[in-house]
Amino acid sequence: MTTGRLKNKNIVITGASSGIGLSIASLCAERGANLVLLARRLDILEQIKQDLEEHFSVNVQVYKLDVSNSEEVKAVFSKLLKEHSTIDVLVNNAGFGVFRAAHEVAMEDVKGMFDVNVVGLIACTTSVLPLMRQQRKGHIINIASQAGKIATPKSSVYSATKHAVLGYTNSLRMELSDFNVSVTAVNPGPIETDFHSIADESGTYVKSVERFILKPDFVARKVVDRMLTNTREINLPRWMNVGSILFALFPSLFERVGKKALNKK
């Protein structure tokens, strides 16, 4: 448990207004952490701030931030870094997906997914790296996906963004190993959040995986329990990660056998 480990630590969370981000924020507040919550909907963040401060007597700051806007990322992080001499944890949670066949994906959605899932994540991370290297401690947690390990039909662009996140995360981990800064990739399967209202407009995918779908609180607890530990990856559910190992070892066989099941989007 991390009850004592997180007390009075400063934790920054992107995409904190709903889903996993909100669940992570609530658990961190429960364990005594001070929070900086970032999302596009400031009105929702203000309500979350009020609720968490009332229930847990912690300090919560909120900022409106669209991570796809690099200039806005610079401005917001410049402001919050002036107010916090130490950042202990950055959780890069903001992200979205669109599930469509490759020839049907609009270029606007392609750019949008890369701008949020990849460029935005890198921009936020770059903003805290000088401080974490200087203070020689910290933890960067990147919410990736099992889709970054197993490419599936109708998620070509989304999978590409998550492959990019994992490549960046793995490189960053090696760069920061001498600075006592941990870097963790979180690779969940499908989660019961608003993500699917955009990604899966037809509801076909959600229906096909409903018996496997993860609850946001479950994923959040696994993440928060590993904060400020030297954890390389968190793979959820564990059995699904077996698929990614088989995919890496026997890609042709996996694609041939799993095509029908993986195509249910």
Side-chain angles (χ1 to χ4, degrees):
M1 294 291 289
T2 62
T3 304
R5 191 187 307 141
L6 297 186
K7 190 171 181 60
N8 296 324
K9 300 299 184 183
N10 295 325
I11 299 176
V12 180
I13 306 170
T14 69
S17 61
S18 63
I20 305 173
L22 176 55
S23 295
I24 290 174
S26 298
L27 282 171
C28 289
E30 182 182 324
R31 300 182 188 190
N34 298 312
L35 301 172
V36 179
L37 306 182
L38 311 172
R40 292 180 299 172
R41 291 288 304 274
L42 187 59
D43 56 335
I44 296 176
L45 289 179
E46 292 285 4
Q47 184 59 57
I48 294 169
K49 168 184 168 70
Q50 181 178 332
D51 292 344
L52 294 180
E53 288 184 337
E54 286 180 0
H55 282 88
F56 302 112
S57 299
V58 295
N59 180 46
V60 180
Q61 291 183 304
V62 298
Y63 296 90
K64 179 182 181 298
L65 177 64
D66 178 354
V67 299
S68 69
N69 185 329
S70 297
E71 291 305 313
E72 194 172 313
V73 170
K74 286 181 183 178
V76 169
F77 272 86
S78 176
K79 187 181 298 184
L80 73 86
L81 288 171
K82 287 178 181 176
E83 297 176 0
H84 296 278
S85 58
T86 299
I87 299 295
D88 297 288
V89 182
L90 168 65
V91 181
N92 283 308
N93 170 68
F96 81 100
V98 175
F99 293 162
R100 290 195 182 94
H103 68 284
E104 296 176 335
V105 182
M107 289 310 299
E108 180 182 356
D109 289 332
V110 173
K111 279 186 52 61
M113 280 185 273
F114 271 95
D115 285 346
V116 173
N117 299 356
V118 183
V119 179
L121 178 147
I122 293 173
C124 293
T125 303
T126 301
S127 296
V128 303
L129 283 181
L131 176 59
M132 286 190 173
R133 287 167 63 99
Q134 180 183 354
Q135 66 192 23
R136 301 189 73 82
K137 63 177 182 177
H139 194 174
I140 295 167
I141 300 174
N142 293 332
I143 307 298
S145 172
Q146 285 293 329
K149 293 186 167 191
I150 306 175
T152 61
K154 299 183 183 178
S155 62
S156 56
V157 178
Y158 179 71
S159 290
T161 67
K162 294 304 183 178
H163 274 74
V165 168
L166 288 177
Y168 176 74
T169 302
N170 292 338
S171 177
L172 190 65
R173 184 184 300 110
M174 290 186 282
E175 284 188 24
L176 297 177
S177 61
D178 292 335
F179 293 87
N180 198 34
V181 176
S182 299
V183 182
T184 301
V186 182
N187 303 307
I191 305 170
E192 191 179 86
T193 68
D194 290 339
F195 172 92
H196 294 290
S197 64
I198 298 174
D200 178 39
E201 293 176 341
S202 68
T204 304
Y205 176 65
V206 171
K207 186 175 181 180
S208 69
V209 300
E210 59 186 353
R211 66 184 182 277
F212 305 124
I213 208 157
L214 301 167
K215 299 293 185 182
D217 288 347
F218 170 79
V219 177
R221 190 168 297 278
K222 293 295 184 181
V223 172
V224 175
D225 283 348
R226 298 296 186 88
M227 280 185 176
L228 298 178
T229 70
N230 191 24
T231 300
R232 187 179 189 278
E233 288 187 348
I234 300 171
N235 294 290
L236 302 169
R238 288 183 180 179
W239 64 264
M240 190 172 286
N241 195 52
V242 174
S244 70
I245 295 172
L246 292 175
F247 180 69
L249 293 173
F250 311 104
S252 296
L253 176 63
F254 188 94
E255 288 172 358
R256 187 167 63 251
V257 173
K259 179 181 177 181
K260 184 176 180 180
L262 295 174
N263 205 30
K264 290 183 178 179
K265 285 195 182 75

